[in-house]
Structure formats: C-alpha cells, structure tokens
Amino acid sequence: MGVDGPRDRCESERRDVPAGGPPPRAWAWQRNSERRRPERPATPRTVEGQAPSLQPWLPVPRNTAHQPCQEYSPSIMSQNGYLEDVGYLKCDMDDASETREESLGDEAFDTVNSSIVSGESVRFFVNVNLEVQPSQAAESDSPGGCGLLHTSRKYLKLKNFELEIRAHRDLDGFLARASIILNETATSLDDVLRAMLCRLAHDPNNTEPDCNVDLFMAMLFTDAGAPTEGKAHLLSDTIQGVTATVTGVQYQQSWICIICTSKALLKRHVCISRLVRPQNWGENSCEVRFVILVLAPPKMKSTKTATEVGRTFATMFLDITFRQKLLNTRTEEEFKEALVHQRQLLTMVSQYPTLGPKGYNMNSICVHRSPQPLKHKDFLPVGKGIREDIARRFPVYPLDFTDGIIGKNKAVGKYITTTLFLYFACLLPTIAFGSLNDENTNGAIDVQKTIAGQSIGGLLYALFSGQPLVVLLTTAPLALYIQVICGICDDYNLDFNTFYAWTGLWNSFFLVLYAIFNLSLIMQLFKRSTEEIIALFISITFMLDAVKGMVKRGSWASAPRAQMAEAWWPVSTVFQKYYYDNFGDNTDSTSLVSLLGLGTSLNTTLHTALNTSLLASPPELTSMGRHAEHPGRETAVLSLLIMLGTLWLSYTLYQFKKSPYLHPCMREILSDCALPISVLTFSLICSYGFREIKMSQFRYNPSKSLFDVAEMHSLSLGAIASAMGLGFLLSLLFFIEQNLVAALANAPENRLVKGTAYHWDLLLIAIINSGLSLFGLPWIHAAYPHSPLHVRALALVEERVENGHIYETIVNVKETRLTSLGASILVGFSLLLLPFPLQWIPKPVLYGLFLYIALTSIDGNQLFERVALLLKDQTSYPPTHYIRRVPQRKIHYFTGLQVLQLLLLCAFGMSTLPYMKMIFPLIMIAMIPIRYNLLPRIIEAKYLDAMDAEH
C-alpha cells in the first residue's frame, strides 16, 4: 500500500461533492468542512528555539492523484545557493505498535483521511480503515477501533567533515560497495523502497545471511505489528533538511533519508535512489527526487549507528547545488565523483567557517582553538597580571558574600551542607598529615599546629583570594619536604624551626617573583591531558595512602633516616603491628623488613615515639591495662572493616541523589552530607561499639605552644644558602600545584562566571606561607581533589541523555566565600575538641576518607574514562567529542602514552629515595616538552588537539 499524502488545497477545494441524495459515508467529513465547520483545535507544536504554534486541521479527500505541492515551491526552500540557510537536520520517528486514528463524532466511516500534527500548516493525511467487524471490536484494546501514534522529532547537528573522522569513513565505505539506482521509474514510495532493498539483497558484495525484503519493508513503516483493523502506513524514522524561520519550519522536500535498524543485519548498508521525476509522497515530501536508505544493526558503536550514517549523507544533500549536480550525472562513476567533490567542499567549509545567506553559522560544531603562543613581552610588565586580577574580581567581591543569601535563588541549605562537607574534608586530612608531621619532626610540628595553620591560612585565603572556591591544605608532598628538612637538621645539628622558617621564606620570595612577572601564564602550556595525568596521579597517591597505611610491612621507626621513603604514607601500620607482629617472632619481621629494602638499623628513639603515638589513649581508657597495648588480630580486621565501611557508606550516600527514594531535597542533602555522616557513624561504631578492641590514635601534647617565632639569626650563611636551594624546589611545587588546581577548579565545564585570579592568588599564597613559616606552622597550598569537589558541591547538576548514554552537566555554580570561610572557622574551633572527641576518630576512618576522596575525584577524569574504554565493547562507547573526531586506534595510542607518563610520575613521586621525590616538580614541568615535541611525532597534532579539547 502506498502512502497517501496531502494534496494541494486548491485541488481539495475544487473537488465537487456528489449531488443528489445523501453523500457517501467517506465524504461526511469533507461535507462538514465545506459547511465552514469550525477548525479543530490543533496540538501545540514546540520547536527548539521557537515558540509553540497552532496548526489548523485541514481535511482532504483521500482518492486524489499525486500532484506537486504548490505551497512549497523550490524557490522558497532554497533560493541562495550553497547550503541554503539550513543549520539543522530534522529527524522524525513514529512509533506505533497499535496505530489507529480517532473516530469523528458518532458517524461510522469506511475510510477517512486523518492528520498527524507537524511543524507546518499542511498536514500528512493517510488512509486509515476504521471499519471494524464485531469480532475484531471485541479484541480491540481501545474503544471504537482507534489507536495511538507516537511521533518524536529532534534536531541533528550537521556533520563536521573536518573534525568528525567518521564522516569520511562513512562515505568511503559507501563508495567501496556503492548501491546507486539511477533513473528509478517507480512512482509509489513502497515500490521505490522495495527496489532499493532488492538491490541490496542481490548485491554480489552482500554478506548478509538472511536478507528478507518483506521483513525490512515492514520495519520501515509504523504499521509493523499494528492491528489489522487500523494501520497507519507511515515511515518510522526519517531525516530531512529544514530551515527555521520566524513563520515556522520549512522542509527541503526534494530528498528524504530513511533509516532503519534490524537485528537481522551484520553490517551497515546504504543505498541511494534517484527518481526519474519528482514524486508527491505526502506531507513535507511533495517533490522527492532522491531517496537515501540506511540500514544498520542495533548494536553498534555510537558513531556508527544508522542515525550517524544518515547524518553524514543528509549533511551532503542539504546543498541544492550538489543535488543539481547529481541530477545531471549520467553514470554511477559521475555520481560517485560528485559525492567526493562535495566531501572536499564540506571539509573546506568546516576549516573556514562562514556565515550563511541569513547570517547563520554553517559550522555548527565548535572548534577548539589553541591559545596564542607566549612572547617575552607578556612577562615584562611587572605586576600586570596582579592588577588585572584585582580589576576583574574586585567589582564582584560583595557578591561573593550575598549570592545565595539575598535575592532570588537562595541556597542557604546548600551552603550549610557544603560547609559541613568542607569542614570534614579539611579536618581529617589535617589530622592525618599533622600526625605524620608529628612523627617526622619529633613533635616540632604536631596535630595542634597543623589544625591552627589550616584554620588561619584558610581563613585569610577565603577573605582575600581571587578564587575562593579553591581549598588550601597541607599535603603529602609538603610532609615529605618537612621530613627532609628535619633530616638535614639532625645531620648538621641545625635548629629545625629556624631552618624551616628560612626555607619557607625563600619559597615565598620565589613565589612573589613568579607572581609579579606573570609566570602563571606558563600554565597555558599545560594541556588538559597533562593536567589530568597529574590529577590522576594525586588520586592514586590518596588510594595508596590508605592501602599502605593498612597493609604495609614495616614501620616508620624501622627505616633509617637515610631512607625516608615512607613520608608519603600515613603513620599507622595496622596489619604489620596488630596482625603479623603479635603472631610471629621479631627475627622474621626484621628479615622481611630487610628484604623489602626498608633497612636493618632501628632508630630507637623514634620507634618509642611511634609506639607512644599509636597506643596513646584518652584517660578514660588507660585503666584497661597493659594487655590493651598488644591486642590480637581483631584490631587489624576491625580496622579493615571500618575503612571499607566508611568508603561504602560515604560513596553510597554520595550517589544517593540518583536513587528514586525519598524526596529530591532529602536526596540532595544526604548526598552533600555523605562524608560527615559516614565519618561520624563509623567513629561512633568503632569507639563505642567495639570498646574492648584497641585502635590506633594520634598523639596529643597539651603543653605545646602553638606560636613559637623562629630565631632567624641563628643560622650561618651556608645554611641560609642551602635553605634557598630547598626553597626554590619547594616554590616549583607550590607554583605548579596552586595554578594546576586553580585551573581544574576554573575548568570550562564548571561554568564559573566571576573570573580567575591566578597571579593575585599566587602572591597571596606567598604572603600566607611567610607567616606560617615564621611561627613554625605547616605550609599549605591549593589541594586536589578538594577544590574541584568544593566546586561540584556548590553546583546545580543535571543529568542528560545523549544516544542512550547518561551524563551529568553543571548548569551553574554558586560562587561564594561563605562556605570556605565557615569551614575554616570550624576547623579553628576544632582545637577545643582536643583531645576528646577528635582523638577518638580512628585512623581507619581517615583511610576510608582518603579512598572516598580518590574515588570521587576520578569522576570526569578523561584519562580514566579512556582507560576504561579498553575494557568496554565498542557499542558501549559514549558519544564524546574525541570518539567522534579521533580514530579509535589513535585514541588508544594516546591513552597508552598518557599511562607511560603517569608511570613516570609514579616512579619519581613514589620512589624509595626522598631526594628523588624532591625533584618531582621538575618532572611535571618536563611533561610540557613531551606534549609539544614528542607526542606530535607519534600522533597527528589535530588529533592531539581534539583529545585536549573541552568538547
């Protein structure tokens, strides 16, 4: 059965109603129409970027010959030549497992002409048989033999032939086994499609084992599987060119692309048919000359689906000049040459985007542009970057305190939950690294000083920084530098506080130079791929912090001062101390330590301090007796369960916002408070539920003074010069970490609008750390992944679906100083919670926190996602920008090279030699020439730029 489309209104008005006697039932509707029956209310049609419009209901008799539609002349559809002014393709999908048209009143019709709502005033009328037998009516699912037809439409972006590699591969695959029908004489749509399917079935290159033409014909239309009494014979899935105007949407009616997926297919097939004369096949298809048929199996890679292949050819057929060339071709070879020529033209248009005849940008895909190369004069204006940062951020400074509090879109609840999250996310690592510094410096820098420095530095940064969403923390690399400084002081009999202060002052001096000479501009050279390598390395170190603290063999005290490799790891050695040592002799343990390269000599003093730290307990628990210091294996097992339980509960609550349970507001609150809830829950479980099992805790010295000013004059010039060398290496670490974390927080996908302040923030960091150095407090700088997590906690996140893949996108972010300010104040008040109850937070909870931070920071890391692609089936690949623009092999090559760079960072950052770790910042800087000089020799620069692009 063919498709009966609408006829010209002139023709329908010219049709005469049979005279004499009552009219036949098939003409009842037409008769009412001629009596000026009021127009039936139309369904509002909403088009993207356009206000809804109401379309009239136009009845048309069904037995009318096909004629060209006069209302849509080709001069209206394309009058300006190249690519006309079409910026989108329109994809129509009709799903109708049970399709019937609604009955008109109480009259019984044999056949009527029914209408499907569209974006234009002319309707698509089809023959629908509504004469239902009594037996059939009993089996009908709906009264009166009526059915439902589901129509879904969406816009498709034009294929970018310069960026999307699949566009060229689709065309090459078609040219290799072209199925082209020239001068097709069939007039009905069914006959044309059957001829195309037969051409594909009888193709000698066809490898399909089962090519059933009747089956494919049924799948192309909506009446496949519909009840026999009410079929609507419509195309199910099509792509057409459209032009959006102020009056509505105009269709290109000289071509149509029909797509279909079938499980019976093994590979994709494309057939193009050129008709001898234009055919009128109904709504929006009044003068069809070209039919493109695309068949594909359903399980395909996201860039190889039938829709993607159809988008390739539909983009080419948008150009009226190209279609005119195809009409003039005589042979298949000329037809293929025209296709190749059109591909070249589209590639040039993509490289040099221009405006169409009505001002529309014909290149609809955003091209990633590299920043301008740096020049020497960019660094010469002293303080230019600082002045620009202040001029950019100072006008919006008051809004940092009022946004979300005053006016519309208040977010007080989100501020409270984010402050609590930030408080725990800062406090617990501060306790962990404070305990680490306590052991490394023999109490010179303890937990109290670490908390005080964190509070003071965070408070100053929250008040005066240019980007207050960045979070400051003392980190594991800084703990390494502190340990190295303490070792140098022990070896050369230097005063630790003074040498530490001089090193910090030199570090601040170099940071001031970097800020006033605008050296933060160098961070433009760090591509997205380089940033993600360093970010993933930091996440891995957080994971290894937790794992190493639980299961490492050996202890801090068992390593000599010359081998301070364990500075990266937490103090507690749970399984070594509680699981192995209590059930084995010391000789075996010492031998194993020696085999692991941790040394054979013991530092007795530090070993005693370690035991004191691990076994110290609140006064309420000291009565448990001596036996509590040597518990059994239950301590190690409980520690493992507490760590994993903290990770499980926190991550489960973090993902709870995606669950269907509770109210959305409650889900969001639970997700924001995931970390505080999990820490408090398992701290209570461990401290009160298992009192009889001893857990490791940090040391607390209440008599220690918080603020001791260093005696700067007590060092010799040689010692001050050596401190300058350490300060320079430390400044490189500060420079890279501060700017890198700020860049990750200001990433385009976060949609921050108040601007950046890299130079001013670097100067502020130098000032803050100068004061911390003089008073013997630990240094702080921007922390990853706390800063991006802080941004995400203040963000409004939406889930969107693209080609069946769900992804999250940030709509906006509340850029405020209140959360970091409140968290810093709470951290300062935490000094009042020492020793109880903070000392009752077991270290396994801290390890669980490290795992949680590492796991949540991996979300959105493109390097991790591309590594995961190696384990996925191609049909599960997400439709990301690099999947569309880069060949799959190049993607895996690039991922492998990134993994090698990551291993290089791990080799230096986790080396057993502490001085190897000190040159770790130089390794990060060395990744710049690797990206710009080495990688382009292996992978083309355009592919590297595509994978480094944001979208």
Side-chain angles (χ1 to χ4, degrees), residues 25 28-29 32 37 40 57 99-115 128-132 140 142-148 229-230:
R25 289 178 295 175
W29 191 11
N32 294 337
R37 175 183 176 179
R40 179 172 180 169
W57 187 273
T99 307
R100 301 177 181 89
E101 270 298 308
E102 60 182 354
S103 59
L104 301 178
D106 297 326
E107 299 178 87
F109 296 93
D110 293 327
T111 56
V112 299
N113 292 314
S114 61
S115 173
V128 182
N129 184 6
L130 298 181
E131 184 174 1
V132 183
S140 178
S142 57
C146 299
L148 302 176
E229 67 272 11

Side-chain angles (χ1 to χ4, degrees), residues 710-722:
E711 300 178 359
M712 305 302 295
H713 60 278
S714 62
L715 288 185
S716 63
L717 293 179
I720 294 176
S722 62

Side-chain angles (χ1 to χ4, degrees), residues 77 168 174 230 297 332 351 522 658 710 773 884 913 925:
M77 298 307 301
H168 296 271
F174 171 74
E332 290 189 8
Q351 291 175 345
I522 297 178
K658 301 179 182 179
S773 302
R884 296 182 182 277
L913 301 176
I925 295 177

Side-chain angles (χ1 to χ4, degrees), residues 87 216 280 284 327 347 465 602 639 684 848:
F216 289 133
N280 182 359
N284 307 324
L327 290 176
T347 303
S465 66
L602 297 177
S639 299
L684 292 175

Side-chain angles (χ1 to χ4, degrees), residues 407-659:
K408 299 180 180 179
N409 300 323
K410 294 183 179 180
V412 178
K414 179 170 281 293
Y415 284 1
I416 294 175
T417 56
T418 303
T419 301
L420 292 177
F421 157 76
L422 200 58
Y423 167 63
F424 281 91
C426 293
L427 178 64
L428 299 186
T430 298
I431 293 175
F433 291 118
S435 179
L436 175 60
N437 290 328
D438 189 12
E439 298 300 326
N440 292 341
T441 62
N442 294 322
I445 299 178
D446 58 4
V447 174
Q448 290 173 275
K449 284 194 171 185
T450 307
I451 293 177
Q454 173 65 38
S455 177
I456 295 172
L459 190 64
L460 293 175
Y461 193 83
L463 287 174
F464 302 110
S465 66
Q467 182 47 274
L469 298 184
V470 172
V471 179
L472 301 188
L473 276 178
T474 185
T475 59
L478 295 180
L480 166 71
Y481 273 88
I482 293 174
Q483 185 187 20
V484 170
I485 291 173
C486 187
I488 293 176
C489 293
D490 290 344
D491 294 338
Y492 295 96
N493 296 321
L494 301 175
D495 180 67
F496 171 76
N497 289 332
T498 305
F499 193 75
Y500 175 82
W502 273 109
T503 304
L505 290 178
W506 279 117
N507 167 57
S508 298
F509 171 75
F510 288 114
L511 291 179
V512 170
L513 292 181
Y514 301 156
I516 64 177
F517 284 103
N518 313 312
L519 291 186
S520 292
L521 295 175
I522 297 178
M523 296 305 296
Q524 295 180 7
L525 302 178
F526 277 84
K527 294 287 189 177
R528 172 174 178 164
S529 57
T530 305
E531 294 175 352
E532 290 183 337
I533 292 173
I534 299 175
L536 189 58
F537 167 77
I538 297 175
S539 300
I540 292 175
T541 59
F542 270 100
M543 287 186 183
L544 294 181
D545 282 348
V547 176
K548 191 75 171 181
M550 290 295 297
V551 303
K552 78 173 182 179
R553 299 279 296 180
S555 66
W556 286 79
S558 64
R561 181 66 67 181
Q563 295 186 5
M564 301 172 187
E566 305 304 323
W568 287 80
W569 312 110
V571 178
S572 180
T573 55
V574 177
F575 270 71
Q576 162 63 21
K577 185 169 187 62
Y578 298 126
Y579 195 87
Y580 297 107
D581 286 355
N582 290 309
F583 292 87
D585 53 36
N586 295 332
T587 304
D588 295 338
S589 177
T590 304
S591 301
L592 183 57
V593 171
S594 178
L595 289 175
L596 292 176
L598 297 178
T600 56
S601 61
L602 297 177
N603 187 321
T604 306
T605 304
L606 188 57
H607 183 65
T608 304
L610 174 64
N611 290 335
T612 303
S613 171
L614 292 179
L615 301 177
S617 60
E620 294 83 357
L621 299 179
T622 55
S623 61
M624 294 179 62
R626 179 73 177 175
H627 67 278
E629 298 183 358
H630 298 284
R633 295 188 174 185
E634 61 272 10
T635 298
V637 175
L638 178 61
S639 299
L640 179 61
L641 294 178
I642 291 296
M643 180 187 72
L644 297 179
T646 303
L647 170 64
W648 169 79
L649 181 59
S650 57
Y651 194 74
T652 300
L653 292 178
Y654 175 73
Q655 298 288 339
F656 195 74
K657 57 186 175 183
K658 301 179 182 179
S659 70

